[in-house]
Amino acid sequence: MDDVAKDLTAGTVGGAAQLVVGHPFDTIKVKLQSQPSPPPGQPPRYAGAIDAVRQTLAAEGPRGLYKGMGAPLATVAAFNAVLFTVRGQMEAVLRSDPGAPLSVAQQVVAGAGAGAGAGFAVSFLACPTELIKCRLQAQSVLATAAPAPAAAAAAATVAAAPAAAAAVKYGGPIDVAKHVLRSEGGTRGLFKGLFPTLAREVPGNAIMFGTYEATKQLIAGGHDTSLLGRGSLIMAGGLAGASFWGLVYPTDVVKSVLQVDDHKSPKYKGSMDAVRKILAADGVKGLYKGFGPAKARSVPANAACFLAYEVTRSALG
């Protein structure tokens, strides 16, 4: 098995581990991001992450925390294979001799370059995958968003129509894809939110891979990290995951609100319009809805991802 095939295999295993560990946190993040601002004087649907977990478990059971996992699971192989394969190839380019260890600076360059280059590539996989995932995760929030009372006037009923239209009930990932392709502009509809996805993946992955390599070098006390134990790899992966969201989180909020926006009566005209309206409605904190679950997810999920990758890659020789 050549190096590319090894990176493909190890990247797939790492991605699966990341998804299984992190998806419940991601579900709560998307629910918090997509819940509409409440009317004046009314509380939001979810008071916070813990309340979102409690309500989700009460209404949907533990399976509710894993809604939408089918779409990313189906593409996790391609997604992480691209990331880790590009990283492996960049390391090979930077080595002076085959098998020679890289310096700290070279490791960081390889990690950051792979993150940026692969981040661009995987955005085109991530965007439709995450649109499907977010629709499934958020539909219970949208279904109960600002319902009109039964005795309300006709005007109130008409005003509530966009919310009802947005509350499409999907049977699963294939159902979402069929609906988008049929009713939202064909293939183009699956790439709604591509710009904020690019704005998240390119710098976010550059920071994450750079942090991972730099942390391994720091723990090892030099450029040779081959002897690091699993505990050290978990620590490096966890720190790398935490670093991902520090700069790019608002782009993820914008991506999510665009992807769950109603196609027939859209609230947002595009990314910049979404930013303006979020700031007007909720201030800067609106761009950080769900930040707690995202950070809580990033540490264990990425620790699992990098550990699974390293262990698998080492086992393949």
Side-chain angles (χ1 to χ4, degrees), residues 82-107:
V82 170
L83 278 174
F84 285 100
T85 301
V86 172
R87 172 174 169 260
Q89 293 305 297
M90 287 201 67
E91 287 183 354
V93 169
L94 291 170
R95 284 191 177 96
S96 56
D97 297 302
L102 300 181
S103 67
V104 175
Q106 286 175 319
Q107 286 279 17

Side-chain angles (χ1 to χ4, degrees), residues 11 45 48 64 73 89 107 114 118 128 136 145 147 161 180 192 194 206 210 221 231 260 281 285 289 305 308 313 315:
R45 167 73 183 275
L73 187 61
Q89 293 305 297
Q107 286 279 17
L136 292 170
V180 173
K192 193 175 185 180
L194 178 61
V260 302
K285 69 178 183 180
K289 280 184 177 179
C305 176
R313 187 65 174 80

Side-chain angles (χ1 to χ4, degrees), residues 212 215-216 218-220 225-240 299-300 302-308 310-311:
Y212 179 65
T215 303
K216 287 202 303 178
L218 181 63
I219 296 173
T225 62
S226 61
L227 298 179
L228 289 179
R230 294 186 179 183
S232 297
L233 295 175
I234 289 172
M235 181 183 296
L239 289 173
V299 175
N302 284 283
C305 176
F306 280 106
L307 176 62
E310 296 282 9
V311 170

